[in-house]
């Protein structure tokens, strides 16, 4: 038996130190007792959506693909491009901009920037996220692309990159009424992209009020256009909107119990109705759905003690794996693990099945660094195991 084991080890050595493993099937059961509510959601809107961010699942929609003017919700895309520029080090938050003439001519919400003002990217972000300042948005657009027109081209390029079918922008502020539209679904995707990649934006959108130029002779008070910020627990963004042709619109984001929800609503006659019905969507989501953790990060699913390696190798789950489900539902999951150790690293996945259908995948890795024995160490181990 020992000789047979030695032969297998030598075969493993000359096969490139590879090692495969398949863990046994596991079952997880989670009962719940919540019951769905019968609700009539977003009845005053022209279009609406409730979107869960970790699973990219639409929980409710009303004409989610209808093309409508988004007003200042346009700035969600503007912010996405600004944050991509920050990520690419084209600008930093301390970069100072000198305000030119064009931003000062814009109508609507603004921070009343003046020609020649010196202002940082950080303060311009405050202006956009808190006060929906059109002049701040245009100032950053011009700085990044040379003109608002060139910046808008980049906005539409991003639309194509995200695969959106019902969006086209004509400006970076939302003031345009011509050939400027998006849909509830498309805007949920843009919002999710912004929040997922750049959660820092929520540190701005979650501010009830602040100042720019606070310690200067010209301080300016910023008040959040979203009057629910600071009043509704867990609500941290994202953007309001209004023009005479769009009506009152809003995109909200909330994260509670590890579940992130985005709502987008269009076309209300009154901001109070808009606010109430968008919050009703969020309440419906949290009342009827839960994000169930099927696999927990760092769970050890297998442990290997093999002659090819200096140390015991623990195979673990690299990230939490969740399943979005209705609270009233009860599920039994089958979990299988498939991994391979190659070149000092683990490559593998956990496969989660529901009713014999693949539901989710989770990445597997190792708890500690894999330390492979060198040729001499390996032959010494074989000798020791065989003769000592």
């Amino acid at each position: 038996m020992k000789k047979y084991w030695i032969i297998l080890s030598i075969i493993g050595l000359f096969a490139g130190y590879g090692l495969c493993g398949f863990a046994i099937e596991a079952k997880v059961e989670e009962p719940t007792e919540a019951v769905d509510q019968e609700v009539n959601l977003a009845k005053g809107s022209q279009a609406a959506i409730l979107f869960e961010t970790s699973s990219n699942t639409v929980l409710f929609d009303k004409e989610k693909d209808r093309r409508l003017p988004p007003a200042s919700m346009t700035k969600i895309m503007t912010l996405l491009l600004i944050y991509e520029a920050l990520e690419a080090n084209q600008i930093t938050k301390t970069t100072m901009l000198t305000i030119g003439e064009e931003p000062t001519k814009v109508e609507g919400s603004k921070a009343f920037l003046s020609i020649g003002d010196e202002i940082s990217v950080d303060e311009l972000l405050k202006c956009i996220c808190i006060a929906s300042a059109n002049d701040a948005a245009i100032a950053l657009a011009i700085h990044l692309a040379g003109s608002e027109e060139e910046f808008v081209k980049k906005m539409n390029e991003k639309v194509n990159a995200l695969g959106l079918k019902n969006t086209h922008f004509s400006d970076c502020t939302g003031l345009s009424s011509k050939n400027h539209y998006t849909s509830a679904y498309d805007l949920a995707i843009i919002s999710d992209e912004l929040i997922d990649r750049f959660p820092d934006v929520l540190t701005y959108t979650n501010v009830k009020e602040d100042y720019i130029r606070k310690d200067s002779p010209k301080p300016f008070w910023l008040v959040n256009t979203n009057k629910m910020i600071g009043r509704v627990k867990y609500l941290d963004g994202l953007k309001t909107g209004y023009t005479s042709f769009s009506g009152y619109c809003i995109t909200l984001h909330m994260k509670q119990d590890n579940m992130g929800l985005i709502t987008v609503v269009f076309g209300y006659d009154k901001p109070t109705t808009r606010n109430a019905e968008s919050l009703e969507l969020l309440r419906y989501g949290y009342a009827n759905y839960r994000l169930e953790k099927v696999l927990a990060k760092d769970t050890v699913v297998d442990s290997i003690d093999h002659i090819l390696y200096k140390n015991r190798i623990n195979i673990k789950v690299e990230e939490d794996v969740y399943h979005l489900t209705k609270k009233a539902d009860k599920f039994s999951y089958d979990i299988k693990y498939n991994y391979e150790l190659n070149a000092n690293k683990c490559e593998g996945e956990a496969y989660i099945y529901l009713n014999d259908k693949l539901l989710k995948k989770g990445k597997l890795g190792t708890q500690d660094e894999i330390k492979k024995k060198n040729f001499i160490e390996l032959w010494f181990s074989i000798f020791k195991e065989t003769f000592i």
Side-chain angles (χ1 to χ4, degrees):
M1 186 66 182
K2 184 175 291 187
K3 290 181 180 179
Y4 177 71
W5 179 85
I6 294 170
I7 292 169
L8 286 179
S9 299
I10 295 172
I11 291 172
L13 169 65
F14 289 104
Y17 283 43
L19 184 64
C20 298
F22 301 88
I24 61 172
E25 181 176 314
K27 289 182 179 288
V28 180
E29 292 192 15
E30 288 290 343
T32 59
E33 298 179 355
V35 179
D36 285 346
Q37 303 169 351
E38 294 294 330
V39 290
N40 184 15
L41 296 170
K43 53 186 176 291
S45 69
Q46 293 182 12
I49 196 169
L50 174 63
F51 183 86
E52 198 282 316
T53 59
S54 68
S55 62
N56 295 335
T57 301
V58 177
L59 305 182
F60 168 85
D61 84 273
K62 174 184 176 181
E63 298 197 54
K64 67 181 177 66
D65 296 319
R66 182 180 176 183
R67 295 178 175 183
L68 291 165
S72 280
M73 295 192 299
T74 298
K75 297 187 183 86
I76 297 171
M77 177 61 92
T78 301
L79 286 166
L80 177 56
L81 295 191
I82 293 169
Y83 267 93
E84 286 188 338
L86 285 165
E87 182 182 55
N89 294 317
Q90 295 174 17
I91 52 172
T92 68
K93 288 187 178 181
T94 58
T95 299
M96 299 299 294
L97 276 66
T98 302
I99 301 301
E101 183 179 4
E102 188 173 345
T104 66
K105 293 180 178 180
V106 71
E107 300 297 325
S109 301
K110 51 188 175 181
F112 295 95
L113 303 175
S114 301
I115 297 173
D117 280 353
E118 296 283 337
I119 186 167
S120 68
V121 169
D122 176 64
E123 291 205 318
L124 289 170
L125 281 170
K126 287 182 183 180
C127 293
I128 297 169
C129 294
I130 301 171
S132 193
N134 296 323
D135 48 0
I138 292 173
L140 272 167
I142 292 172
H143 181 80
L144 291 173
S147 68
E148 183 180 3
E149 291 75 17
E150 288 300 313
F151 187 84
V152 171
K153 287 182 182 178
K154 294 181 181 295
M155 294 171 70
N156 288 314
E157 288 171 3
K158 193 66 181 180
V159 167
N160 293 332
L162 292 173
L164 307 180
K165 304 300 183 185
N166 295 296
T167 300
H168 184 272
F169 296 113
S170 296
D171 64 40
C172 67
T173 60
L175 292 174
S176 295
S177 59
K178 185 178 180 181
N179 201 29
H180 188 93
Y181 55 83
T182 188
S183 67
Y185 177 79
D186 284 6
L187 197 53
I189 296 299
I190 297 168
S191 301
D192 183 47
E193 179 80 359
L194 173 63
I195 294 168
D196 182 57
R197 291 179 57 195
F198 308 109
D200 177 72
V201 72
L202 299 174
T203 65
Y204 293 91
T205 60
N206 194 28
V207 175
K208 185 176 180 180
E209 58 184 64
D210 203 347
Y211 283 88
I212 59 170
R213 301 188 297 262
K214 187 173 183 178
D215 299 321
S216 76
K218 296 198 313 180
F220 186 79
W221 187 33
L222 304 172
V223 179
N224 205 313
T225 55
N226 184 351
K227 303 308 177 186
M228 294 178 283
I229 293 295
R231 298 178 181 178
V232 178
K233 191 176 182 180
Y234 303 116
L235 187 68
D236 54 13
L238 187 59
K239 192 72 199 69
T240 60
Y242 172 78
T243 61
S244 59
F245 49 86
S246 71
Y248 290 95
C249 317
I250 199 166
T251 299
L252 296 182
H253 175 262
M254 179 182 284
K255 190 165 187 179
Q256 183 179 350
D257 299 328
N258 291 315
M259 186 166 74
L261 295 181
I262 291 171
T263 65
V264 185
V265 295
F266 284 85
Y268 282 89
D269 295 331
K270 298 178 181 179
T272 51
T273 309
R274 173 200 67 182
N275 293 351
E277 292 198 356
S278 59
L279 281 179
E280 186 181 19
L281 277 169
L282 291 174
R283 293 191 186 101
Y284 169 81
Y286 286 111
N288 290 278
Y289 292 86
R290 63 192 171 100
L291 202 58
E292 180 180 339
K293 187 183 289 187
V294 184
L295 275 178
K297 181 181 178 181
D298 295 330
T299 298
V300 175
V301 301
D302 200 6
S303 186
I304 302 164
D305 186 10
H306 195 277
I307 194 171
L308 295 178
Y309 300 96
K310 296 180 181 181
N311 55 321
R312 177 177 287 275
I313 301 167
N314 291 320
I315 308 299
K316 70 180 183 73
V317 179
E318 291 280 83
E319 56 195 4
D320 292 329
V321 180
Y322 293 94
H323 175 216
L324 179 71
T325 175
K326 288 187 175 181
K327 286 187 174 180
D329 292 340
K330 176 182 178 180
F331 293 115
S332 177
Y333 303 98
D334 295 332
I335 307 175
K336 299 178 181 179
Y337 307 101
N338 184 358
Y339 62 85
E340 184 173 350
L341 300 177
N342 279 320
N344 293 335
K345 66 179 180 179
C346 174
E347 295 179 347
E349 289 182 305
Y351 297 88
I352 301 162
Y353 295 87
L354 180 61
N355 299 326
D356 296 323
K357 292 183 179 180
L358 182 63
L359 178 70
K360 293 272 186 178
K361 293 181 183 180
K363 188 178 179 181
L364 298 178
T366 55
Q367 197 170 50
D368 302 301
E369 180 186 357
I370 299 174
K371 298 178 181 178
K372 201 186 306 180
K373 292 177 181 177
N374 61 36
F375 189 81
I376 295 174
E377 290 171 327
L378 179 60
W379 279 107
F380 179 77
S381 295
I382 294 172
F383 177 84
K384 181 179 179 182
E385 190 66 30
T386 306
F387 299 107
I388 298 179

